Structure formats: C-alpha cells, structure tokens
Amino acid sequence: LTVADGSQIELNTSTVLRIAIDGHRRAATLERGEAYFIIKHDAARPFVITAANHKVVDLGTKFLMRTSGNKLEVALVEGSAKVEPSDAGAARRAITLKPGDIAYALPGSMSVVRKTPADIGSDLGWRRGLIIFRHATLAEAAEEFNRYNAQKIVIADPATARLTFSATLPTHD
C-alpha cells in the first residue's frame, strides 16, 4: 500500500491493518498479522501504529511489526522508532530502537535484543515468498506455514514437535 503521505506498507498474509491519515494525524492500528513499514518522516505529524496495547512512533523509519494476541514484535531495519505502552505512564517506559534492535512487548513488559542484518533479512523473507527458519522447532514451522495455507499442518507427537531444523522454504509449498 502507498498511503497519501508517501509512506509504504507491505502486508503479510492474514493481516488486518486500519489506517487513519488526515491533515492533523497519521495513525494506523495493526489488529493482527505482520506488516513492513517504510514511513516518510514528518516531524509535525509522526506516524503512530498501535498494536497489542503498545504504540510505535516513527522517527524516520523502515521497520517490521508482527502481532499475535497481546504479543508485539518490532524489528528496526533503518532509522529510528520509539516503542511505548499505550497506558498513561508510557512516556517513562518508552524504548527508542536503533537499526538491528528487536523489541518484544507483552502487557507490562518490554525487552530489546540485537539481531544481525542477516537475521532481520530472514524475518523479511515473506516479502519474497519465502519462510526462513534458523534452529526452529517443527511446531514453530507448522504454526508459521499454517498462516499461509488452507490445509493445516498438525504435529501429533510432542517429541517430534520439539525437533529443530534450519531451511529456506517457499510460503506455499
């Protein structure tokens, strides 16, 4: 999607995003799924995305957001972005991300880890029709594939579900 302000947003499968842009504000709500944002910076009207009881405020940015239930993951590719809880005390608990930072947010907690450019590139593989697994369990792989396919993968044996592997696979294979 290219929005009126020139920002671009790519949506992954099974994603719901609502956008509200006018002369006074630029806002979106990621209700579920995953989206890659290339935001055109405007200091007078920051782009604010709400998801999983948190806000991500663009500071001139390219980033990936993924939400599921009350869990939010934000991976900063370029620029800067601020992640903060939506509650009233948010400003004192805000985290400003730098390129390579991944913020993980749950109600009442946020943490940041660093990833290599290659790892962040793997997270963006869906933009090229690929799912890239590095030391993933078969259960994690099944859950990811089930986002893309009508026929669902079920792993009945818990021991098998815990086996790990690494692979690059097409999303619809």
Side-chain angles (χ1 to χ4, degrees):
L1 308 168
T2 300
V3 293
D5 69 353
S7 296
Q8 297 176 340
I9 305 167
E10 292 181 48
L11 304 178
N12 199 348
T13 188
S14 191
T15 296
V16 176
L17 178 76
R18 301 191 191 287
I19 301 172
I21 295 180
D22 59 31
H24 303 289
R25 69 182 188 125
R26 302 184 308 157
T29 301
L30 181 61
E31 293 186 6
R32 77 167 184 264
E34 185 171 32
Y36 179 63
F37 296 85
I38 302 171
I39 303 298
K40 185 173 180 180
H41 186 63
D42 181 345
R45 292 183 317 149
F47 203 112
V48 178
I49 302 106
T50 303
N53 298 313
H54 287 80
K55 295 187 297 188
V56 176
V57 181
D58 154 65
L59 303 172
T61 313
K62 292 181 181 179
F63 59 96
L64 176 67
M65 284 182 68
R66 183 171 181 166
T67 186
S68 177
N70 64 0
K71 183 171 59 173
L72 173 66
E73 180 179 336
V74 180
L76 190 70
V77 175
E78 184 178 297
S80 181
K82 182 170 58 172
V83 181
E84 60 189 39
S86 296
D87 66 26
R92 63 182 167 77
R93 295 193 320 265
I95 297 172
T96 300
L97 302 178
K98 300 180 297 278
D101 285 347
I102 313 293
Y104 296 96
L106 292 165
S109 71
M110 278 194 296
S111 62
V112 176
V113 298
R114 298 279 302 160
K115 278 194 175 180
T116 66
D119 286 338
I120 292 178
S122 294
D123 293 344
L124 294 167
W126 61 266
R127 296 174 63 218
R128 301 181 318 272
L130 300 172
I131 304 174
I132 301 169
F133 299 104
R134 289 202 171 110
H135 309 292
T137 65
L138 291 179
E140 292 166 338
E143 181 181 349
E144 189 67 18
F145 268 112
N146 287 342
R147 294 178 61 217
Y148 295 90
N149 301 308
Q151 185 175 359
K152 302 303 180 194
I153 298 170
V154 177
I155 302 174
D157 178 42
T160 301
R162 289 189 300 271
L163 294 173
T164 61
F165 76 110
S166 297
T168 299
L169 304 168
T171 56
H172 296 289
D173 187 355

